[in-house]
Amino acid sequence: MNFNVGTGTFGRVLLVRLRGSSAHTTANCFALKVLRKTEIVRLRQVEHVNAERYILSRVRHPFIVDLYATFQDSLNVYMLMSYVPGGELFTHLRRAKRFTADVTRFYLATIILALKYLHSFNIIYRDLKPENLLLDSRGYLRLTDFGFAKIVDDRTWTLCGTPEYLAPEIIQSDGHGKAADWWACGILCYEMLVGYPPFFDETAYGIYEKILKGKIYWPREVDPLSKDIIKAFLHPDRSKRLGNLIGGSQDVLDHPWFRGVDWDSLERREIRVRSSHPPVSRCSSYLLLPCIFRHPSSRMLRPWTTRATSRTFPFPPPRRYPDSSARSARHPFSNGSIPSPTNS
């Protein structure tokens, strides 16, 4: 059995299961990423594919997709990964228009734990956005697409990412590191709360100009505490940016916006996530919708179907907001094992 569940610039993702296993459970289902070698070479993405394989084979975290095996033949490179059935957060967000503060807090908390884990091994992700966040069968987010991830001791000068999520230091070619991921957290938090990113324009250069100017429009529905954490993430001076201060990622966990979050229970996935659908056991596309974090949400989020995306290089065209729901296509692609997080 195999179904095409995603198509990208130079490959596709198939839903597969172990031969002879039951089709009535997802336990033996996997996502098989198939990458055409000719397209990888033509688009000069050999380094990105190698980086994705190297990093994913060495990380294990409940909020990061698992890479089980890689192999190749004369035509393709194959990556056997965990099947995350809930689809992209992007599709979920577009259908819901925007999330409540509680839903945003839940989603952002999982991403912060994933980034904290990666940063502890000097891995910067560099491609945070709703398209790269998948919902698993229990309603938790999982980070995917590590084509731009890189092990960096201090700074790197590679220009890559999605225009709306680029930190000022990337645009200005000043060298960037972990602080760029925390900037992207601020953009993601704003987009989840408002429905579109704080800096958008018809052209990529227009987006860059607005990022450097740093002027943000604040809708009335954004509460003061949410505004405070977003501003802290989006500080133009990376030495004063939340997550990049002397306290590191712990400063993010201790921010008042996250007051009451049980971080250990969250990382162990012990937080109960309410769903608008009964549990699904068949090995097919299905969805489980998280609607609360600590408090019941006033709005139940509607279901969606999985969607294929692709990425162009080096940057995709900017998105059109707020009247267009279509986002441009995107999809790229010291030795030793990195240990699993404690209590995970």
Side-chain angles (χ1 to χ4, degrees), residues 156-160 162-176 180 183 199 204-214 238 315:
T156 182
W157 282 261
T158 309
L159 194 62
C160 63
T162 300
E164 294 92 340
Y165 279 74
L166 293 183
E169 60 266 25
I170 298 179
I171 298 172
Q172 295 174 321
S173 298
D174 287 339
H176 60 276
W183 171 279
F199 309 109
Y205 290 105
I207 294 172
Y208 303 154
E209 289 179 358
K210 291 182 178 180
I211 290 173
L212 295 179
K213 288 180 180 178
R238 59 188 159 198
F315 291 121

Side-chain angles (χ1 to χ4, degrees), residues 3 43 54 64 78 89 118 121-122 130 146-147 156 171 206 222 224 253-254 269 323 332 344:
F3 299 103
L43 296 171
Y54 182 85
I64 297 175
Y78 303 91
L89 182 68
L118 293 174
F121 300 105
N122 292 328
F146 276 65
T156 182
I171 298 172
V222 179
L253 274 59
D254 293 338
R269 306 208 317 164
D323 49 327
S344 64

